[in-house]
Amino acid sequence: MELEPQPQAAMEREMFNMKMRIHEYEERLKQVNLHGATGETLQRENEELKTRMLDLERSDVAQRDQIDSLTMICMKTRTAIESLQNANIELKQRYDEAEKRRKDAESKLTEMTKELTKYREMAQNLETITIE
């Protein structure tokens, strides 16, 4: 019983495709065996990779927490710096006002000293006139 040409060609294609899949699987198996890995070895390595991945995730969480903490410290530091700058500005204004009052007082003292000197001279002149 001979098959018709079309079904036989389809069957041959199917056989060829199956042989190609078998060949691919054999090549994959060779690659795995070349590295000395068996299914058990691959599973163990997979578990090790999962463990390392979990460790990395824990480390990542810890680092994110540390970053959040440092960010908070930076924000508090920035606030403290702004407060100090505002206090510095206020102190500078107070100093400038005090310096102005000091200069005004110094000027007034100079005027009063001049007047005092003038009155002393007048008093000396009066004494001289009275004594004579």
Side-chain angles (χ1 to χ4, degrees):
M1 173 178 157
E2 193 170 305
L3 296 174
E4 297 176 15
Q6 285 182 345
Q8 187 172 0
M11 187 181 282
E12 286 176 1
R13 271 195 313 272
E14 181 90 20
M15 287 291 287
F16 177 78
N17 287 338
M18 290 182 89
K19 285 180 181 179
M20 287 305 293
R21 282 191 204 148
I22 289 171
H23 178 71
E24 287 174 10
Y25 289 132
E26 286 174 345
E27 287 300 313
R28 286 185 193 165
L29 187 59
K30 283 180 188 175
Q31 288 297 319
V32 169
N33 287 334
L34 278 178
H35 297 291
T38 62
E40 189 176 300
T41 306
L42 292 174
Q43 190 171 358
R44 186 172 14 90
E45 287 177 5
N46 190 30
E47 290 300 317
E48 288 173 4
L49 288 173
K50 284 181 183 178
T51 303
R52 272 199 270 163
M53 190 66 163
L54 287 173
D55 290 344
L56 287 173
E57 286 176 4
R58 281 189 214 110
S59 174
D60 183 49
V61 168
Q63 287 178 354
R64 286 176 192 250
D65 288 346
Q66 190 175 16
I67 288 171
D68 290 344
S69 175
L70 291 173
T71 301
M72 192 61 114
I73 290 170
C74 286
M75 288 171 33
K76 287 180 180 180
T77 303
R78 182 179 297 132
T79 302
I81 289 171
E82 288 171 357
S83 294
L84 287 171
Q85 286 174 334
N86 290 339
N88 190 32
I89 290 169
E90 185 179 334
L91 286 173
K92 174 86 168 93
Q93 289 171 345
R94 286 183 183 179
Y95 174 81
D96 290 345
E97 290 169 4
E99 186 66 17
K100 184 180 181 302
R101 286 193 306 271
R102 185 192 66 77
K103 285 181 180 179
D104 289 346
E106 185 179 356
S107 176
K108 192 171 186 178
L109 181 61
T110 303
E111 283 179 35
M112 291 174 86
T113 304
K114 286 179 185 176
E115 281 185 43
L116 182 62
T117 305
K118 181 174 118 181
Y119 288 130
R120 278 186 185 152
E121 287 175 5
M122 286 172 62
Q124 265 182 345
N125 286 340
L126 282 174
E127 280 181 12
T128 316
I129 292 176
T130 313
I131 295 178
E132 294 175 358

